[in-house]
Amino acid sequence: MFEGREPIYVQIAQQIRAEILAGTLPEEGQVMSTTQYATTYRINPATAAKAFAELVDEGLLYKRRGVGMFVAAGARERLLDQHRQTFFTDVLDPVLKQADLLGIGVEELVEHITRTHPRRTAR
């Protein structure tokens, strides 16, 4: 499962973020314990704990003493806001800059989006 170049704890944190975004880990839902992660994925429990600590620091998870780790209220919305901002700065802004260089105006961009992705205009 953990085949990327990033450290395993980073991959675990990314996986949990993705599950929160997708809604498979709902707010106030319990997250697998560090021991369960270690056993399931055959990793050191300290590695899983490091991922959880990162997510706690970000305000995405919180610990209930004696019960376990849970998804914090508002975690999905915080992640959506972060991803939206990243989308605009890392994806859309460079596309718009390239469109300017090519002489593609706003109207042409909107027409293209409307024609090729009609379900996007209904939102």
Side-chain angles (χ1 to χ4, degrees):
M1 172 175 175
F2 303 110
E3 298 176 1
R5 294 188 136 187
E6 292 106 356
I8 292 173
Y9 81 92
V10 171
Q11 294 180 55
I12 291 169
Q14 289 172 338
Q15 175 188 356
I16 293 172
R17 284 186 201 99
E19 290 174 3
I20 292 169
L21 271 172
T24 54
L25 272 178
E27 291 184 5
E28 302 302 330
Q30 189 167 11
V31 180
M32 198 184 314
S33 73
T34 56
T35 303
Q36 289 171 315
Y37 260 94
T39 303
T40 302
Y41 299 113
R42 296 185 178 137
I43 60 172
N44 187 318
T47 301
K50 191 171 182 178
F52 286 17
E54 183 175 298
L55 296 169
V56 167
D57 289 346
E58 293 174 15
L60 300 175
L61 298 182
Y62 69 95
K63 184 175 185 170
R64 287 188 193 160
R65 183 172 228 130
V67 181
M69 300 295 282
F70 292 82
V71 177
R76 184 171 187 274
E77 195 59 40
R78 276 194 295 283
L79 285 171
L80 283 171
D81 289 344
Q82 290 171 2
H83 282 260
R84 284 182 182 121
Q85 187 57 46
T86 300
F87 171 78
F88 285 118
T89 58
D90 294 353
V91 177
L92 191 56
D93 289 349
V95 167
L96 294 175
K97 185 176 183 179
Q98 184 68 25
D100 283 343
L101 290 171
L102 297 172
I104 300 171
V106 173
E107 298 81 16
E108 190 175 352
L109 288 170
V110 170
E111 187 276 325
H112 176 78
I113 292 168
T114 303
R115 183 173 29 86
T116 59
H117 301 282
R119 67 181 182 84
R120 293 278 178 214
T121 58
R123 291 185 181 174

